[in-house]
Amino acid sequence: MSKLLNYIFGTSMDFNMTNYVNEFEEYRTLINIKRCEKLGKVILILNLILILVDITVYKPMRIGNVSYSYLFYSHIIVFILILLWFAFFKLRIGCRSKKSKFYYHIFINIILYWCVFMGLNAMYISGKIFAYFICILLLSTVLYLNPLEAFITYFISIIVVNGGLIFIISNLNVLYSDIINVTILSLFSFIVSYINFFSRKKNFLYEKSIMASRSELELVNQKLQQYEREKTDFYANISHELKTPLNVIFSSEQMMEITLNENGYNNLKINKYLKMMKQNSYRLIRLIGNLNDINKIDATNFEVKFINSDIIKIIEDITMSVAEFVEDKGLSFTFDTELEEKIISCDQDKIERIMLNLLSNAVKFTDKGGSIFVNIYLEHNNVCISVKDTGIGIPSNIKDLIFDRFMQVDKSMSRSHEGSGIGLSLVKSLVEMQNGNIYVNTKLGEGSEFIVILPDTMSSEIESVKNPCSIVDGQVERINIEFSDIYD
Ligand code: ADP
């Protein structure tokens, strides 16, 4: 039967309710009782009105027709029964048995058999049994009765009503047609009640499963946040731990270099090893610095110091400071600008890191005899800085991925260029922190052009620096660090 109804009405029963059966039963009982309370109030008011009508309008009819007297008494009896139901129910407030199905079953039966009586009584008066029909339809839509409850309720009422009809109606044709009507309508009410019950059950389960997965997600989220905090602390800690011995190695190497120079000791092999030590120290310093920075960016505590500064001067200074190094690598180097001066709000330190990163990549990926161009121009209220090379270029299918962290075009152990794959992702973050953008035009075998776009804006709240301090002032170390991946 249930399979047939499922097939017809699509009320699937194949969901797992085992965990929630008790919860759903409690919930359903509570809702049914609440609805009975509301219905009870409506019926009390309705009966009061009916009693008034009985007393005023139907009073003369009661003399000649006993059915009107039955109506009058039934209204009074139901009014009293509902009042008693309320009293009984209210006296139990706070008690657990308040959730008992007993309350709504009592209520249903009071209403149902009142309507059965009214219906049968009306048969005498007008030959219509509407009160019973209205009642079972109302119960099947307003309350959530499980199939067994609904079946018992409707089945017993059908027997009582049909029994009453047999007793009242003498014309067989009318009797059969009324019995068929009552049976069909009761069956229809049973089906409505069934659909009502199962759709509520299905919704309940659905809400429960959503709530369960939400709390599961929250738990996972909390764990992830905890993991993120631990990871950030770990990075900060490990960077510090790596830096300390590295600084000792680096200063020892520098001391050795100074001591050897002071003593006039000039040995090619020793100088070569010292240089190797120095360059690899720079590489480690760069790697640790980059790791620390991406960690800070992830933890969103990477500070940007906006200052109104001359971007042309910043780019020119940084470019010029590496010119000699680039040319030493056998590359031609050109700097060009459309503008003499352009004051914008930016972070000089970060611009320098962006430029050093792009320039070191250009040098790294361009063979001897190639060229590197740096160009600045204005476009649509933006300052565009282009770093272009005639190097190896990037395959078109990978070009959009190179800004991803740890992404390298050549991932093989035997790759010809050193690097960690952090540089461009860091550059992208540094550019975006200044409300800018970066993209690349490239062709495999022909070269690449990285274009940094910064908004041409000035802040009125911050100071202006026309001549930002040059990178050459004590920052040669930074160039050595940023270019440390490039070997002779
Ligand atoms: P890495 O430290 O490995 O250079 P980057 O994030 O700076 O990491 O660059 C990621 C990858 O993008 C590089 O490994 C390289 O394959 C490619 N790439 C970056 N710049 C250039 C360039 N100017 N020419 C060709 N390929 C480049």
Side-chain angles (χ1 to χ4, degrees):
M1 173 73 169
S2 70
K3 268 189 186 160
L4 179 72
L5 288 167
N6 280 340
Y7 179 73
I8 299 170
F9 299 105
T11 49
S12 164
M13 294 215 301
D14 57 345
F15 44 76
N16 177 18
M17 278 294 289
T18 41
N19 294 340
Y20 301 117
V21 169
N22 291 339
E23 219 174 305
F24 175 69
E25 277 303 297
E26 270 196 16
Y27 164 80
R28 178 176 78 87
T29 310
L30 210 74
I31 291 215
N32 281 347
I33 291 176
K34 276 187 182 160
R35 291 195 174 173
C36 285
E37 270 190 276
K38 280 184 190 152
L39 260 180
K41 284 173 193 161
V42 174
I43 291 197
L44 276 181
I45 295 168
L46 184 76
N47 268 285
L48 258 184
I49 297 169
L50 288 174
I51 290 170
L52 281 176
V53 173
D54 285 332
I55 293 170
T56 52
V57 185
Y58 291 146
K59 195 177 175 191
M61 297 173 195
R62 282 214 297 269
I63 302 161
N65 192 340
V66 72
S67 295
Y68 285 102
S69 301
Y70 290 156
L71 267 188
F72 176 56
Y73 294 127
S74 81
H75 295 153
I76 291 176
I77 290 171
V78 167
F79 187 80
I80 293 168
L81 283 177
I82 300 280
L83 271 185
L84 281 177
W85 182 83
F86 266 112
F88 189 53
F89 177 65
K90 293 288 171 192
L91 281 177
R92 292 297 210 152
I93 280 181
C95 173
R96 221 186 121 65
S97 65
K98 201 187 151 208
K99 283 181 185 168
S100 162
K101 290 173 186 166
F102 171 74
Y103 292 103
Y104 72 77
H105 280 304
I106 291 284
F107 183 85
I108 289 173
N109 283 292
I110 294 174
I111 302 298
L112 188 64
Y113 289 101
W114 171 52
C115 289
V116 168
F117 177 78
M118 295 244 293
L120 290 174
N121 200 36
M123 274 311 264
Y124 272 123
I125 303 170
S126 58
K128 305 266 178 342
I129 196 168
F130 284 139
Y132 171 68
F133 290 162
I134 293 169
C135 182
I136 51 172
L137 276 177
L138 182 82
L139 292 178
S140 63
T141 48
V142 171
L143 300 180
Y144 299 119
L145 299 183
N146 69 29
L148 184 69
E149 286 172 338
F151 180 74
I152 293 173
T153 309
Y154 298 127
F155 184 72
I156 297 177
S157 77
I158 291 175
I159 291 175
V160 174
V161 173
N162 285 341
L165 289 177
I166 292 169
F167 186 71
I168 295 166
I169 303 169
S170 49
N171 181 328
L172 275 185
N173 282 344
V174 177
L175 176 66
Y176 291 150
S177 107
D178 275 342
I179 286 179
I180 290 170
N181 281 346
V182 166
T183 314
I184 289 180
L185 207 101
S186 302
L187 192 71
F188 179 72
S189 301
F190 173 75
I191 293 169
V192 170
S193 175
Y194 181 93
I195 296 170
N196 195 13
F197 172 80
F198 275 100
S199 59
R200 184 65 256 175
K201 195 171 176 180
K202 208 172 172 182
N203 281 350
F204 181 84
L205 178 69
Y206 182 65
E207 281 161 22
K208 281 283 159 193
S209 71
I210 285 187
M211 269 160 69
S213 40
R214 194 177 292 163
S215 54
E216 255 172 46
L217 267 179
E218 247 162 49
L219 224 92
V220 172
N221 195 19
Q222 274 172 10
K223 273 190 190 160
L224 274 177
Q225 281 177 357
Q226 170 72 12
Y227 170 76
E228 196 57 41
R229 276 196 295 275
E230 281 169 10
K231 196 194 84 182
T232 311
D233 290 351
F234 172 76
Y235 263 114
N237 219 348
I238 207 80
S239 303
H240 178 76
E241 290 301 313
L242 286 170
K243 248 188 202 165
T244 316
L246 184 63
N247 281 341
V248 177
I249 295 169
F250 190 57
S251 352
S252 308
E253 184 276 333
Q254 279 178 320
M255 289 307 294
M256 232 162 109
E257 210 176 323
I258 293 166
T259 316
L260 290 176
N261 279 342
E262 276 175 3
N263 295 330
Y265 194 84
N266 196 357
N267 181 303
L268 264 180
K269 258 195 171 169
I270 289 181
N271 282 343
K272 186 182 144 198
Y273 292 133
L274 279 176
K275 201 176 162 203
M276 271 168 67
M277 275 168 70
K278 200 171 180 176
Q279 179 155 18
N280 281 288
S281 299
Y282 280 136
R283 281 191 65 196
L284 280 176
I285 290 171
R286 179 174 187 244
L287 182 63
I288 295 168
N290 282 351
L291 280 174
N292 206 16
D293 286 346
I294 55 170
N295 187 40
K296 277 190 200 160
I297 289 168
D298 286 351
T300 59
N301 62 3
F302 202 76
E303 243 182 274
V304 190
K305 285 188 206 126
F306 280 106
I307 293 178
N308 291 334
S309 353
D310 182 3
I311 186 78
I312 312 293
K313 173 129 181 45
I314 297 175
I315 303 291
E316 189 174 3
D317 283 350
I318 192 86
T319 312
M320 287 309 128
S321 64
V322 297
E324 199 185 322
F325 180 91
V326 176
E327 278 157 5
D328 278 355
K329 299 282 166 200
L331 301 166
S332 85
F333 192 46
T334 316
F335 171 76
D336 194 13
T337 171
E338 267 183 9
L339 312 146
E340 281 298 304
E341 184 188 280
K342 184 80 213 165
I343 310 283
I344 62 165
S345 158
C346 62
D347 182 330
Q348 180 186 352
D349 199 54
K350 306 217 165 28
I351 300 281
E352 285 169 1
R353 287 196 63 184
I354 293 165
M355 287 307 290
L356 286 177
N357 232 302
L358 294 179
L359 286 168
S360 78
N361 273 349
V363 174
K364 204 164 35 165
F365 296 106
T366 307
D367 291 334
K368 249 189 191 133
S371 311
I372 294 175
F373 308 89
V374 174
N375 193 8
I376 315 177
Y377 52 92
L378 263 185
E379 201 175 76
H380 312 302
N381 276 338
N382 289 313
V383 175
C384 304
I385 306 153
S386 145
V387 178
K388 190 173 173 183
D389 62 59
T390 56
I392 60 172
I394 300 163
S396 56
N397 57 331
I398 291 174
K399 120 180 161 142
D400 292 331
L401 304 175
I402 54 168
F403 295 103
D404 291 351
R405 199 172 287 175
F406 311 122
M407 174 64 198
Q408 291 177 315
V409 175
D410 179 4
K411 279 193 176 289
S412 64
M413 292 294 282
S414 57
R415 64 174 193 264
S416 47
H417 303 286
E418 304 290 343
S420 57
I422 300 176
L424 283 180
S425 87
L426 195 62
V427 163
K428 190 172 186 320
S429 302
L430 296 176
V431 172
E432 283 170 356
M433 272 176 200
Q434 297 173 82
N435 309 316
N437 221 328
I438 180 166
Y439 66 93
V440 61
N441 294 323
T442 179
K443 203 160 187 200
L444 197 60
E446 288 185 18
S448 313
E449 180 183 18
F450 286 84
I451 301 173
V452 175
I453 301 169
L454 295 173
D456 177 12
T457 47
M458 273 193 6
S459 173
S460 50
E461 285 159 29
I462 49 178
E463 55 180 307
S464 292
V465 181
K466 252 198 168 186
N467 287 316
C469 48
S470 153
I471 189 157
V472 193
D473 304 339
Q475 294 200 46
V476 184
E477 272 314 82
R478 271 176 69 172
I479 300 173
N480 287 333
I481 290 172
E482 290 296 346
F483 281 71
S484 57
D485 280 348
I486 304 161
Y487 286 88
D488 290 328

